[in-house]
Amino acid sequence: MISPDTLRQKYLDFFKSKNHAVISGKSLIPENDPTVLFTTAGMHPLVPYLLGEAHPAGKRLVNYQKCIRTGDIDEVGDASHLTCFEMLGNWSLGDYFKKESIAYSWEFLVSDKWLALDPKKLSVTVFMGDENAPKDEESAACWRNIGIPEEKIAWLPASDNWWAAGPTGPCGPDTEIFYWVGEGMPPAASNKGNDPDSWMEIWNNVFMEYNRIDAKTLVKLPMQNVDTGMGLERTITILNGKKSVYDTESFKPIIAALEAISGIAYGSDKDKDKDKDLSFRIIADHVRSAVMILGDPKGVVPSNVGAGYVLRRLIRRAMRHGRKLAMEGSFLRKPAEAVIAILSSAYPELEDNSQKIMEELAREEAKFLE
């Protein structure tokens, strides 16, 4: 079994060995992008440097970053989607590009010294091109040279293989790496394009070649940049042989706290209990997200506008699902304490702000109960 703390350190150590400087993650509230409410990817704090400004730590960077995404909130509770997640990321600011980035990703995933994943259980996607940008033949060639079979390379449209953190700003084609989560070994011709439910995305290498000025205008950036992201929770799921992110140590203590409060067991294989399991997962995700937002140094609290409104919705949605598990009254404190215990080693601000977190949760619960 590999813990989240161990994976974070392995990732940092690997890229330090490739001459990357370790930088600290930033706030969940973006500093450089007013178009989004939360930091949705590790690249958000680096936007000025992706646009050409020199970074004080150099051209090769690595870190881990807490992120919030609400676009997939209806998918939360399935095997892989989360509102709050951790992204392991590395960057090249005008230094190396596609060949080196892809080689680094592959080495970290399959080398016995690092994660030692089975190469036969990996497949990739690349950008198929459109009227705005050409087909990404270079990335496909890099994968072939590494040894990925042609049938494990899926060509997908911009909706799948073009990354932009917002409606304007740095963007570009990406190549994503997927791990087989189906039964047994993957069929030879199976890939994300023709068998989507059997593959889980674990890594995204974005090649920031463009700056989007508006919906119809892309201009080449002054330098070619790499922005990669590896989902910590999904990778832990795979490394530990679990079927779902909610079955890992990132969530088990939170769900155990909910079991103790509700008196209901999580994880039944019976169809009649599937809705209960979904409620457990949604509460665990939303409490974890709320704790991370409340514990952030930027000081967001529940409100009726902006990021505060998203926070309020998450807390109240968790409480509504609590009613489905017969949890009446206030119940968020214990699962919130579990979140802090799990994540405070990586994010000490949670422990520092624990009193504020508990007070705001209790205040919002009281408002909801009225």
Side-chain angles (χ1 to χ4, degrees):
M1 299 289 282
I2 182 171
S3 71
D5 288 343
T6 299
L7 178 57
R8 287 189 205 97
Q9 195 59 52
K10 273 181 173 283
Y11 190 87
L12 297 179
D13 289 345
F14 174 80
F15 281 100
K16 280 195 293 185
S17 78
K18 307 299 183 184
N19 301 313
H20 289 62
V22 178
I23 60 173
S24 61
K26 299 296 184 180
S27 169
L28 278 171
I29 310 303
E31 298 175 2
N32 303 307
D33 191 346
T35 65
V36 292
L37 295 176
F38 292 103
T39 297
T40 64
M43 59 81 68
H44 259 138
L46 295 169
V47 167
Y49 311 107
L50 293 167
L51 290 172
E53 185 179 325
H55 194 286
K59 294 184 175 182
R60 296 186 176 205
L61 311 172
V62 62
N63 78 352
Y64 58 88
Q65 173 70 47
K66 52 188 176 179
C67 303
I68 292 281
R69 289 183 194 170
T70 57
D72 295 327
I73 197 164
D74 289 336
E75 307 300 321
V76 166
D78 68 4
S80 62
H81 284 92
L82 298 168
T83 308
C84 178
F85 59 93
E86 295 183 70
M87 193 63 77
L88 306 171
N90 67 281
W91 293 269
S92 167
L93 304 175
D95 190 355
Y96 61 83
F97 203 45
K98 296 181 181 181
K99 179 181 178 181
E100 296 86 349
S101 175
I102 287 171
Y104 290 156
S105 302
W106 188 251
E107 181 183 352
F108 184 66
L109 289 171
V110 307
S111 168
D112 289 341
K113 183 179 178 181
W114 301 104
L115 299 191
L117 292 177
D118 185 348
K120 294 178 181 177
K121 290 190 172 184
L122 295 171
S123 70
V124 301
T125 62
V126 292
F127 178 54
M128 69 187 297
D130 58 20
E131 66 276 9
N132 296 311
K135 188 176 183 180
D136 191 3
E137 295 281 8
E138 184 180 352
S139 291
C142 291
W143 286 120
R144 293 187 196 102
N145 290 337
I146 276 175
I148 292 284
E150 192 69 41
E151 59 269 22
K152 286 291 184 284
I153 301 173
W155 296 90
L156 297 179
S159 56
D160 294 285
N161 280 90
W162 185 274
W163 173 253
T168 61
C171 59
D174 63 56
T175 182
E176 298 179 342
I177 307 171
F178 292 80
Y179 188 82
W180 173 256
V181 292
E183 296 298 325
M185 294 296 291
S190 173
N191 60 50
K192 176 64 177 178
N194 59 33
D195 188 11
D197 293 338
S198 296
W199 296 91
M200 181 189 290
E201 179 194 344
I202 55 173
W203 203 325
N204 188 5
N205 291 37
V206 182
F207 304 118
M208 294 284 189
E209 302 178 65
Y210 302 94
N211 184 24
R212 183 175 292 283
I213 305 302
D214 55 43
K216 297 182 179 180
T217 310
L218 287 176
V219 297
K220 275 280 191 177
L221 286 168
M223 59 188 187
Q224 295 179 320
N225 303 310
V226 174
D227 159 38
T228 84
M230 177 187 227
L232 180 140
E233 293 87 354
R234 292 184 179 189
T235 307
I236 286 290
T237 302
I238 287 163
L239 290 170
N240 292 337
K242 303 297 185 181
K243 291 291 187 182
S244 160
V245 292
Y246 298 96
D247 299 330
T248 67
E249 292 305 314
S250 295
F251 282 91
K252 284 174 68 176
I254 309 170
I255 291 175
L258 296 172
E259 287 181 304
I261 297 166
S262 67
I264 298 172
Y266 167 78
S268 170
D269 289 331
K270 298 177 181 178
D271 287 341
K272 67 181 180 65
D273 292 331
K274 296 300 184 185
D275 287 345
K276 291 181 180 178
D277 285 351
L278 179 63
S279 289
F280 271 114
R281 292 178 175 196
I282 290 172
I283 298 167
D285 169 88
H286 287 9
V287 173
R288 186 174 184 258
S289 302
V291 167
M292 291 294 274
I293 296 169
L294 286 166
D296 192 88
K298 286 295 182 71
V300 173
V301 296
S303 71
N304 288 327
V305 295
Y309 181 64
V310 175
L311 173 59
R312 170 164 285 166
R313 290 285 302 275
L314 289 169
I315 294 170
R316 294 190 173 190
R317 191 165 187 248
M319 292 192 70
R320 287 198 300 273
H321 277 276
R323 298 300 177 269
K324 295 182 179 182
L325 298 175
M327 290 190 281
E328 302 296 333
S330 300
F331 66 88
L332 296 180
R333 184 179 185 91
K334 289 296 183 183
E337 288 173 345
V339 174
I340 294 171
I342 295 165
L343 289 170
S344 59
S345 61
Y347 304 100
E349 65 268 24
L350 298 181
E351 189 66 52
D352 296 340
N353 295 319
S354 60
Q355 182 175 345
K356 173 204 166 186
I357 292 169
M358 297 307 169
E359 288 174 352
E360 291 295 340
L361 285 175
R363 185 175 292 116
E364 192 61 25
E365 283 186 293
K367 288 182 179 179
F368 180 79
L369 291 171
E370 289 176 1

